[in-house]
Amino acid sequence: MSILVNKNTKLVIQGITGRDGKFHTGKMKEYGTNIVAGVSPGKEGLILDGVPVFNSVAAAVKATGANTSIIFVPAPFAADAILEASEAGIELVVAISEGLPIQDMIRITPILKMNGTLLIGPNCPGLITPDEALVGILPANIFKKGNIGFISRSGTLTYEVVNLLTLNDFGQTTCVGIGGDPVAGLYFIDLLQRFEDDPETIAVVVIGEIGGDAEEQAAQFIADKMTKPVVAFIAGQTAPPGKRMGHAGAIISSGSGTAAEKIAAFNKAGVPVAKEPNEIPELLRQKLKK
Amino acid sequence: MSILVNKNTKLVIQGITGRDGKFHTGKMKEYGTNIVAGVSPGKEGLILDGVPVFNSVAAAVKATGANTSIIFVPAPFAADAILEASEAGIELVVAISEGLPIQDMIRITPILKMNGTLLIGPNCPGLITPDEALVGILPANIFKKGNIGFISRSGTLTYEVVNLLTLNDFGQTTCVGIGGDPVAGLYFIDLLQRFEDDPETIAVVVIGEIGGDAEEQAAQFIADKMTKPVVAFIAGQTAPPGKRMGHAGAIISSGSGTAAEKIAAFNKAGVPVAKEPNEIPELLRQKLKK
Amino acid sequence: MKIHEYQARQLFRKYEIPVPEDVLCYTVSEVEKAARDLNRMVVVKAQVLVGGRGKAGGVKLARNVDEAVSAAKQILGMDIKGFKVEKVLVADAVDITKEYYVGLINDRNTKTVTLMVSSEGGVEIEEVAKTNPEKIIKFHINPLTGLLDYQARDIALQLFSDIKVAQKAASIFKKLYKLYVETDATIAEINPLVLTPDNEVLAIDGKMNFDDNALFRQPEILAMREPDEDELVEIDAHNKGLSYIRLDGNIGCMVNGAGLAMATMDMIKLYGGEPANFLDIGGSSSPQKVIDAMNILLNDKHVKAVMINIFGGITRCDDVAKGLIKAMEVISTDIPIVVRLSGTNAAEGLELLKQTNLPTVSSMSEAAQKAIELSRL
Amino acid sequence: MKIHEYQARQLFRKYEIPVPEDVLCYTVSEVEKAARDLNRMVVVKAQVLVGGRGKAGGVKLARNVDEAVSAAKQILGMDIKGFKVEKVLVADAVDITKEYYVGLINDRNTKTVTLMVSSEGGVEIEEVAKTNPEKIIKFHINPLTGLLDYQARDIALQLFSDIKVAQKAASIFKKLYKLYVETDATIAEINPLVLTPDNEVLAIDGKMNFDDNALFRQPEILAMREPDEDELVEIDAHNKGLSYIRLDGNIGCMVNGAGLAMATMDMIKLYGGEPANFLDIGGSSSPQKVIDAMNILLNDKHVKAVMINIFGGITRCDDVAKGLIKAMEVISTDIPIVVRLSGTNAAEGLELLKQTNLPTVSSMSEAAQKAIELSRL
């Protein structure tokens, strides 16, 4: 088992003819992801890497039954691409595109909700269910099938930690990079619920960072609703207030959104927080021993 | 029985302190309508004609459980008033206000749909279930309890025909003036369905006019779905194309929306169309004899 | 409210929809100067608020200044369906590869603004709807999101296979929608939208109508109003709280309520007469409104008889009677008038009318028959 | 992106939010002239891109021209939290009956623009949130409808009992929302919004920040940018595809990925060091980016050692190594550098680095410890 993507995923690539879209289509295909279509307006009829290209997501869905989409189009057009996927009936949209205006995200949110569309991202590395489907730009070789659920707001930090897990023989059910933007699709709690419900997942690793209160909410959710053990790490303990640490969402404003608050919340919820990434496998081991 | 309004109607008057609002509050109350609240921003605490006044519909609903509202506010503010009622959980909104911009109606339509709000009007005389509730500006004295359902796009023509019905001993279950605007709330077919479902209604009178194709749709609906007899009249047989006959919706554009087309559609559906209002009672009598 | 083509082109330009250069001219010499300044092939187009000017000879191509002058001479002053041509637009006649149609309307059934496009441009869309309905693509725009980029692009790709051209068209659809919503339009047509040999997409002719109910918040549009004589009377009536439309017959009628007013016109026709007008005095009628309405009716030289048809609801029949009595005091006329009062306070009204010599009847059909009879005396 | 108060006031005026008259001044003599022209009591306000200028003495009331001049002399050139005051705003000091707070922010949890108003104006809203949270009214605006008239009015009626005053405030809420959305703001505050003795409602002080990701479509806002020295470096880095923030420590770090970069800073701190910066070279790093990044780090005179921490995913470690080798060729430095490469093509990268004398380690923590050690030599 797994969450969100698996062997039944039928993926459409929005922006398949762009540089990044083309490159990662190859990578995802290589991994065995079931890519059924690409979208690039005006290029309908083209076959790229064996993938048929359509003018619109609606046409792709109609022809191929695609149920998941991944978006590589540039930020100014990404919100429109997300809506296009949503209105075409795509169930899960993964937006890799970086730099979306916040108002675009706010504007599309209620429409996604009405359509029942799930969104991962934007500005995220995507997700992977090892040995089943890679829907993102994550480096496939570091992942390994197993029983740990993984959720992270960051990209390379995810790779760093997943690599440690794999080296320590903690394989993963699904790893999700939810992205570093202040207004994004699924948050920690949405995914924690799914991991709690997934019979194969036995524990979850959560990688948070400064900014917002998604980690505090996650801590509350874990305390209230979760039976499975969770281990956490928070990046940005040394970040100064008022400065955006790369991610649009990683900013401490008026003394809220600090790492200290998040760590305290997790500790209160009984979630051990690693001081450095290295410690995570050991904390998991301890939690799973009990 | 009846449709839409009855003894369980708890009415809130939006714009109760205006000239028309005040006048018709008196008339409706006199008729026995259960008026529970009025709304007039900044006048909360006032009691008018025995009716408590609130700053907002939400406050009125909270305090009184109002389920129906009638709107007398001037056209530029009427769409906002309709949304206010809808968002406050009012089930049926009757908009008397005349002269709403069409774009306002288009803009609010999907929100009313999301909230499940029913709208009658705008630019309509409202509706009445004789001896139970008057929610509108119809002259109460011409109505009589009975078994005929009545739907009309116009005001005084309604009174003319209802008067004829009453004089001929055809009492009414509910009479609804749906208004003369091109984009309005409930249309003929929405109400025909309700009359079809109402056990007490034995026949329906439909008064249409030129413009649009609501009558053609009603004819199709009657042919496909209705078991009860329907009698119709169409105003505007002599109206020239391109000219707005008072109502914003009563306009024949490019040869469509003509009375001839509507009469033909009704005839095709087996609905007799009166040549003049006088004929309606006789047509009803014939239909009910069969 | 209607506006002229040249005004629609001004609005297009304001919303960055590409339109060829043009000059509005009132005289032949202005046309000559404009043609000389543009210095290439031009079209001289009559500016009248009525369709079908092309067929009526109101649009002429001119290859040079002389031809432009000759076209102007023919078109200026011309009568098109009762409208006198007082001005022409002299416009750059661009080279055209193909013509398309783009239009926005308010759709009553879906309660949306609906975009219609067609590869059959340059002819009336109603004509295409009859002969080639499959050539019209309709799209209902969700008012909560507006016309989205991908939607505009999908539609454009059905007309243009080249994505760059399609993007240009899509951008025009979006701008036209913005213009439409922001100005409370009821029709916005670009017909034809053209593709040029160098792959530009341009609006060649434009038509826009606006929602009368929204003019209160559209001062810029209202300032464009150029009413003709009949419309001036209608606007004047409107300002007095009356809804009035002049028609071709000779039986004037004054009614309360639009539906009843139409039914009254129909009744006159049914009994062999011809209504001279539509006139709705509205719901809460004051005596002054009745006087204003009577003034309009009795000043129409075609009117041979007047039928007054009032069903009192909110309108009280005695108020109408009072207005009538007052009107008869100030207006001297020998046009016969027949009155039907019914409903609220009808008895009181009829009692009041006894002091006049106005004939009264009790039903609509009687009133119509009587008015027709009187009109023939 | 931040703007000054005087710029926020300009935007308010553009959106018809009432703001008292003011003049921006760079010199004492300009202040003197402004005070003379305004000819009434004024406030002299430091224009700096940092909060708390009031407490720092950067805002002074002046009853006459002399007092304005004296205030200007004190404020111009003053240092407020590291920002030098180069200009002041001389503004009409209106009479105030009561102060209120109005603010708009993007709320992450509800994913909406959220309106916050309070009868506790003139103090920082964070302060009110701590001491009197019940005094803050929050309203989450549905982006599909915007802030509706009745909603704005309901909120205003909770601050103002007089409906006429409430309507004025409601109108300001709506205009501020329009400004906020149309300019892609991330904060828009009016603090205080004031009620005057003659029942006017005015914006006295304004603060606005904007979404950096949206500046591509906000040329007018972008033109208002007045970056300080540190920001110039950050903007320059941004233009090179780098995300860079200068900090107070002495260990420079270069990392791929924002999360990993933060974790690297944390690690340095954990082992007793102080990071000199945040620097994310991004996902698909070209050798050029590595060179640019090294240039920034090695030009920072506070940097005593550099830690390079790369986890290769999409970024290939051999590309990073190539960039490093090239950077070392063109930059001569004696600042010690420690490199950690892991993930995609790490072996190849480490092999390449052998031609340099850069020390390499295999884990983040080792790298941090080594860098700290080197910084202390």
Side-chain angles (χ1 to χ4, degrees):
Chain A
M1 285 289 285
S2 57
I3 69 167
L4 297 168
V5 297
N6 53 39
K7 286 278 173 215
N8 299 321
T9 294
K10 289 183 181 175
L11 188 66
V12 52
I13 319 273
Q14 292 180 253
I16 192 170
T17 54
R19 197 177 57 95
D20 290 352
K22 208 180 275 176
F23 177 76
H24 290 291
T25 297
K27 291 281 178 192
M28 288 186 279
K29 221 182 158 199
E30 200 179 300
Y31 194 72
T33 308
N34 183 17
I35 301 178
V36 297
V39 169
S40 182
K43 304 224 172 105
E44 189 152 302
L46 198 71
I47 308 283
L48 251 187
D49 226 345
V51 178
V53 176
F54 297 88
N55 277 346
S56 68
V57 180
V61 167
K62 200 175 166 198
T64 68
N67 55 20
T68 303
S69 102
I70 185 165
I71 293 179
F72 288 102
V73 307
F77 315 109
D80 185 68
I82 296 170
L83 282 185
E84 180 180 1
S86 173
E87 299 269 318
I90 292 288
E91 296 156 22
L92 174 68
V93 178
V94 180
I96 305 299
S97 317
E98 185 182 337
L100 270 79
I102 300 174
Q103 287 307 319
D104 284 6
M105 285 301 300
I106 288 178
R107 190 169 51 82
I108 69 173
T109 293
I111 301 169
L112 299 187
K113 198 177 165 192
M114 275 189 272
N115 292 341
T117 312
L118 301 179
L119 172 68
I120 306 273
N123 188 20
C124 80
L127 71 167
I128 183 170
T129 292
D131 297 354
E132 298 201 32
L134 165 62
V135 180
I137 60 172
L138 305 131
N141 58 310
I142 58 171
F143 296 90
K144 183 183 153 187
K145 195 164 190 64
N147 304 104
I148 306 297
F150 189 96
I151 322 169
S152 170
R153 271 172 74 184
S154 83
T156 37
L157 183 55
T158 294
Y159 316 157
E160 178 84 40
V161 177
V162 166
N163 192 45
L164 285 169
L165 291 180
T166 296
L167 290 175
N168 283 273
D169 218 26
F170 285 113
Q172 304 95 39
T173 47
T174 302
C175 297
V176 189
I178 60 174
D181 275 7
V183 173
L186 298 185
Y187 282 177
F188 287 127
I189 52 172
D190 307 300
L191 295 163
L192 285 169
Q193 180 67 64
R194 286 181 167 79
F195 279 126
E196 173 72 11
D197 296 341
D198 173 38
E200 206 147 312
T201 300
I202 57 169
V204 184
V205 173
V206 170
I207 307 294
E209 62 187 31
I210 53 164
D213 66 352
E215 290 78 5
E216 285 85 337
Q217 287 189 36
Q220 190 62 51
F221 179 85
I222 292 163
D224 295 347
K225 306 269 176 71
M226 281 195 70
T227 60
K228 297 177 184 177
V230 179
V231 167
F233 176 75
I234 304 290
Q237 300 181 45
T238 48
K243 289 288 186 181
R244 169 181 159 171
M245 296 285 115
H247 293 159
I251 183 164
I252 299 167
S253 43
S254 330
S256 82
T258 64
E261 290 170 306
K262 293 170 192 300
I263 293 169
F266 275 129
N267 283 334
K268 200 180 150 208
V271 174
V273 181
K275 278 202 274 301
E276 54 173 307
N278 269 343
E279 286 183 16
I280 293 173
E282 182 52 30
L283 291 177
L284 255 188
R285 219 169 275 130
Q286 289 170 16
K287 269 286 183 181
L288 287 171
K289 231 184 268 172
K290 286 177 194 167
Chain B
M1 285 288 286
S2 56
I3 69 167
L4 297 168
V5 298
N6 53 40
K7 285 279 173 213
N8 299 320
T9 295
K10 289 182 180 177
L11 188 65
V12 51
I13 319 273
Q14 292 180 253
I16 193 169
T17 54
R19 197 178 55 95
D20 290 351
K22 208 180 274 176
F23 176 76
H24 290 290
T25 297
K27 291 281 177 190
M28 289 185 277
K29 221 181 157 199
E30 200 180 299
Y31 194 73
T33 308
N34 182 17
I35 302 178
V36 297
V39 169
S40 183
K43 304 225 172 102
E44 189 151 303
L46 199 70
I47 307 283
L48 251 187
D49 226 345
V51 177
V53 176
F54 297 87
N55 277 345
S56 68
V57 180
V61 167
K62 201 176 165 198
T64 68
N67 56 19
T68 302
S69 102
I70 185 165
I71 293 179
F72 288 101
V73 308
F77 316 108
D80 187 67
I82 296 171
L83 281 186
E84 180 180 0
S86 173
E87 300 269 319
I90 292 290
E91 295 156 24
L92 174 69
V93 178
V94 180
I96 305 300
S97 316
E98 185 182 337
L100 270 78
I102 300 173
Q103 287 308 318
D104 284 6
M105 285 302 299
I106 287 179
R107 190 169 51 81
I108 69 173
T109 293
I111 301 168
L112 299 187
K113 198 176 165 193
M114 275 190 273
N115 292 342
T117 312
L118 301 178
L119 173 68
I120 306 272
N123 189 20
C124 79
L127 70 168
I128 183 171
T129 292
D131 295 356
E132 296 202 33
L134 164 63
V135 180
I137 60 171
L138 304 131
N141 59 310
I142 58 172
F143 296 89
K144 183 183 154 187
K145 196 165 190 61
N147 304 105
I148 307 297
F150 189 95
I151 322 169
S152 170
R153 272 172 73 183
S154 82
T156 37
L157 183 55
T158 294
Y159 315 157
E160 179 82 40
V161 178
V162 166
N163 193 45
L164 285 169
L165 291 180
T166 296
L167 290 175
N168 283 274
D169 218 26
F170 286 113
Q172 304 94 38
T173 46
T174 303
C175 297
V176 189
I178 61 173
D181 275 7
V183 173
L186 298 184
Y187 282 179
F188 287 128
I189 53 172
D190 307 300
L191 295 163
L192 285 169
Q193 180 67 62
R194 284 180 168 78
F195 280 126
E196 173 72 12
D197 297 341
D198 174 36
E200 207 148 310
T201 299
I202 58 168
V204 183
V205 174
V206 170
I207 308 293
E209 63 189 29
I210 53 162
D213 66 352
E215 291 78 5
E216 286 86 338
Q217 287 188 38
Q220 191 62 50
F221 179 86
I222 292 164
D224 295 347
K225 307 269 176 71
M226 281 195 70
T227 59
K228 297 177 183 176
V230 179
V231 167
F233 176 76
I234 304 291
Q237 301 180 45
T238 48
K243 289 288 187 183
R244 171 181 157 171
M245 296 287 115
H247 292 161
I251 183 164
I252 299 168
S253 43
S254 330
S256 83
T258 64
E261 291 169 304
K262 293 171 191 302
I263 292 169
F266 275 129
N267 283 335
K268 199 180 150 210
V271 174
V273 181
K275 278 202 274 302
E276 56 172 304
N278 268 343
E279 286 182 14
I280 293 172
E282 181 52 30
L283 291 178
L284 256 187
R285 218 169 275 129
Q286 287 171 16
K287 270 285 184 180
L288 286 171
K289 229 185 271 171
K290 285 177 194 163
Chain C
M1 187 199 126
K2 293 177 183 177
I3 59 170
H4 287 286
E5 177 201 2
Y6 80 91
Q7 295 170 313
R9 289 167 77 120
Q10 283 167 5
L11 289 172
F12 289 173
R13 287 200 189 93
K14 187 178 166 197
Y15 279 80
E16 296 174 356
I17 294 169
V19 180
E21 248 185 294
D22 60 41
V23 183
L24 183 69
C25 302
Y26 292 82
T27 64
V28 173
S29 64
E30 282 175 18
V31 170
E32 185 177 357
K33 181 175 187 311
R36 210 176 292 285
D37 289 350
L38 286 172
N39 191 28
R40 52 157 300 160
M41 202 186 286
V42 297
V43 203
V44 181
K45 304 162 104 175
Q47 299 297 295
V48 280
L49 292 174
V50 67
R53 62 182 176 169
K55 282 183 199 146
V59 178
K60 293 196 189 296
L61 194 70
R63 274 164 302 185
N64 50 48
V65 176
D66 287 350
E67 287 189 14
V69 166
S70 129
K73 281 180 181 161
Q74 289 174 60
I75 298 172
L76 279 165
M78 178 186 259
D79 180 286
I80 298 180
K81 297 185 185 171
F83 290 79
K84 193 180 163 204
V85 181
E86 289 172 342
K87 47 188 173 281
V88 293
L89 195 65
V90 178
D92 184 351
V94 296
D95 293 332
I96 294 174
T97 300
K98 183 159 169 46
E99 296 184 323
Y100 301 85
Y101 171 90
V102 182
L104 287 166
I105 52 150
N106 293 324
D107 183 65
R108 294 175 186 229
N109 292 325
T110 55
K111 303 179 189 179
T112 61
V113 177
T114 296
L115 173 65
M116 294 188 296
V117 300
S118 177
S119 56
E120 301 288 298
V123 293
E124 279 188 28
I125 193 67
E126 292 82 9
E127 204 46 46
V128 182
K130 272 178 206 148
T131 54
N132 288 89
E134 78 289 350
K135 287 273 176 72
I136 302 176
I137 302 161
K138 283 190 188 186
F139 183 79
H140 305 300
I141 299 169
N142 179 343
L144 299 181
T145 60
L147 181 61
L148 296 168
D149 286 341
Y150 82 86
Q151 295 165 341
R153 190 178 61 218
D154 279 1
I155 295 161
L157 275 170
Q158 295 180 60
L159 298 184
F160 305 95
S161 55
D162 180 336
I163 182 67
K164 279 182 192 154
V165 173
Q167 293 284 25
K168 285 177 190 169
S171 161
I172 291 173
F173 300 166
K174 283 189 57 115
K175 287 165 181 167
L176 190 67
Y177 174 72
K178 189 163 191 277
L179 166 60
Y180 186 93
V181 171
E182 290 185 353
T183 59
D184 278 297
T186 52
I187 293 180
E189 272 186 357
I190 301 176
N191 190 16
L193 179 82
V194 304
L195 178 66
T196 67
D198 47 353
N199 277 344
E200 289 307 314
V201 182
L202 298 173
I204 294 296
D205 194 355
K207 176 184 169 187
M208 290 195 74
N209 290 356
F210 301 92
D211 184 355
D212 290 337
N213 284 346
L215 291 176
F216 73 89
R217 64 184 178 197
Q218 300 291 351
E220 199 190 334
I221 300 301
L222 192 56
M224 291 183 162
R225 181 174 246 170
E226 294 183 6
D228 61 30
E229 225 171 286
D230 273 6
E231 281 167 335
L232 281 175
V233 177
E234 291 163 17
I235 291 167
D236 178 54
H238 180 82
N239 292 338
K240 288 175 173 142
L242 307 169
S243 179
Y244 173 80
I245 308 278
R246 191 187 296 239
L247 301 172
D248 293 334
N250 58 9
I251 314 271
C253 43
M254 177 179 110
V255 191
N256 65 326
L260 192 60
M262 280 190 276
T264 302
M265 285 158 49
D266 295 348
M267 186 87 84
I268 291 167
K269 181 91 174 175
L270 182 68
Y271 287 102
E274 286 290 342
N277 63 277
F278 165 93
L279 200 170
D280 169 15
I281 60 169
S284 48
S285 303
S286 67
Q288 186 55 44
K289 269 193 184 176
V290 176
I291 298 170
D292 291 334
M294 289 305 289
N295 262 318
I296 292 174
L297 289 186
L298 299 174
N299 282 332
D300 179 348
K301 57 181 185 301
H302 300 106
V303 169
K304 297 281 173 256
V306 170
M307 164 179 177
I308 295 172
N309 183 21
I310 302 296
F311 194 97
I314 306 314
T315 311
R316 286 164 40 173
C317 290
D318 51 343
D319 278 349
V320 174
K322 280 175 200 157
L324 267 176
I325 291 164
K326 232 174 180 173
M328 299 292 58
E329 281 166 17
V330 293
I331 313 169
S332 82
T333 183
D334 46 10
I335 296 172
I337 298 168
V338 55
V339 185
R340 180 261 184 153
L341 297 182
S342 196
T344 309
N345 293 8
E348 292 86 335
L350 290 169
E351 186 58 37
L352 282 169
L353 284 184
K354 279 188 180 158
Q355 59 178 276
T356 70
N357 56 355
L358 297 175
T360 58
V361 294
S362 64
S363 81
M364 270 176 83
S365 39
E366 275 177 84
Q369 290 170 63
K370 182 85 184 164
I372 292 166
E373 187 194 313
L374 292 169
S375 77
R376 288 175 181 160
L377 290 182
Chain D
M1 188 197 125
K2 293 177 182 176
I3 59 171
H4 287 287
E5 177 201 3
Y6 81 91
Q7 296 170 313
R9 289 167 79 120
Q10 283 168 7
L11 289 172
F12 290 172
R13 288 201 187 91
K14 187 179 165 195
Y15 280 80
E16 296 173 356
I17 295 170
V19 180
E21 247 185 295
D22 59 43
V23 183
L24 183 70
C25 302
Y26 292 81
T27 62
V28 173
S29 65
E30 282 176 17
V31 171
E32 185 176 357
K33 182 175 186 312
R36 209 175 292 285
D37 290 351
L38 286 171
N39 192 27
R40 53 157 300 164
M41 202 188 288
V42 295
V43 203
V44 181
K45 303 163 105 176
Q47 298 296 294
V48 280
L49 291 174
V50 68
R53 60 182 177 170
K55 282 182 200 150
V59 178
K60 293 195 189 297
L61 194 71
R63 275 164 300 185
N64 51 47
V65 176
D66 288 349
E67 286 189 14
V69 166
S70 130
K73 280 179 182 160
Q74 288 173 63
I75 297 173
L76 279 165
M78 179 188 257
D79 179 287
I80 298 179
K81 296 185 185 173
F83 290 79
K84 195 180 161 202
V85 180
E86 289 172 341
K87 46 188 175 278
V88 294
L89 195 67
V90 178
D92 183 352
V94 296
D95 292 331
I96 294 173
T97 300
K98 183 160 168 45
E99 297 185 323
Y100 301 85
Y101 171 91
V102 182
L104 286 165
I105 52 151
N106 293 324
D107 183 63
R108 295 176 185 226
N109 293 325
T110 55
K111 302 179 189 181
T112 61
V113 176
T114 296
L115 173 66
M116 295 188 297
V117 301
S118 176
S119 56
E120 299 289 298
V123 293
E124 280 188 27
I125 194 67
E126 291 82 8
E127 205 45 47
V128 183
K130 272 176 206 150
T131 55
N132 288 90
E134 78 289 350
K135 287 274 176 74
I136 301 177
I137 301 162
K138 283 190 187 187
F139 184 79
H140 305 299
I141 299 169
N142 180 343
L144 299 181
T145 59
L147 182 61
L148 297 168
D149 286 341
Y150 82 86
Q151 294 166 341
R153 190 178 61 219
D154 278 1
I155 296 161
L157 276 171
Q158 294 179 59
L159 299 184
F160 305 96
S161 56
D162 179 336
I163 182 68
K164 279 183 192 151
V165 173
Q167 293 284 22
K168 285 177 190 170
S171 161
I172 291 173
F173 300 166
K174 284 189 56 117
K175 288 166 181 166
L176 190 66
Y177 175 73
K178 189 164 190 280
L179 166 61
Y180 187 91
V181 171
E182 290 185 353
T183 59
D184 278 297
T186 51
I187 293 179
E189 273 186 357
I190 302 176
N191 189 17
L193 178 83
V194 304
L195 178 67
T196 67
D198 47 353
N199 276 344
E200 289 307 314
V201 182
L202 300 172
I204 294 296
D205 194 354
K207 177 184 170 187
M208 289 195 75
N209 291 356
F210 302 91
D211 184 355
D212 290 337
N213 285 345
L215 291 175
F216 73 89
R217 64 184 180 198
Q218 299 291 352
E220 199 189 335
I221 300 302
L222 192 56
M224 290 183 163
R225 182 175 248 170
E226 295 183 7
D228 60 31
E229 225 171 285
D230 274 5
E231 281 167 336
L232 281 175
V233 176
E234 289 163 17
I235 291 167
D236 178 55
H238 181 81
N239 292 337
K240 288 173 172 144
L242 307 170
S243 180
Y244 173 80
I245 308 280
R246 191 188 296 240
L247 301 172
D248 293 332
N250 59 8
I251 313 269
C253 44
M254 177 180 111
V255 191
N256 65 326
L260 191 60
M262 279 190 276
T264 302
M265 286 157 48
D266 295 349
M267 185 86 82
I268 291 168
K269 181 91 174 176
L270 183 68
Y271 287 102
E274 285 291 341
N277 63 276
F278 166 93
L279 200 171
D280 169 15
I281 59 169
S284 47
S285 303
S286 67
Q288 185 56 46
K289 269 194 184 175
V290 176
I291 298 171
D292 290 336
M294 288 306 289
N295 262 318
I296 292 174
L297 289 187
L298 299 173
N299 282 331
D300 180 348
K301 58 182 185 301
H302 300 104
V303 167
K304 297 281 175 254
V306 170
M307 165 177 174
I308 295 172
N309 183 20
I310 303 296
F311 194 96
I314 306 313
T315 310
R316 285 164 42 174
C317 289
D318 50 345
D319 278 348
V320 174
K322 281 175 202 158
L324 266 178
I325 291 164
K326 233 179 180 169
M328 298 292 65
E329 282 165 17
V330 294
I331 313 168
S332 82
T333 182
D334 47 10
I335 296 173
I337 298 168
V338 55
V339 185
R340 182 261 182 153
L341 299 181
S342 195
T344 307
N345 292 9
E348 291 86 337
L350 291 170
E351 185 59 36
L352 283 170
L353 285 185
K354 278 187 183 160
Q355 59 179 277
T356 70
N357 55 354
L358 297 175
T360 59
V361 295
S362 61
S363 80
M364 271 176 82
S365 38
E366 275 176 81
Q369 291 170 62
K370 182 83 184 169
I372 293 166
E373 187 193 315
L374 292 169
S375 76
R376 287 173 182 163
L377 290 180

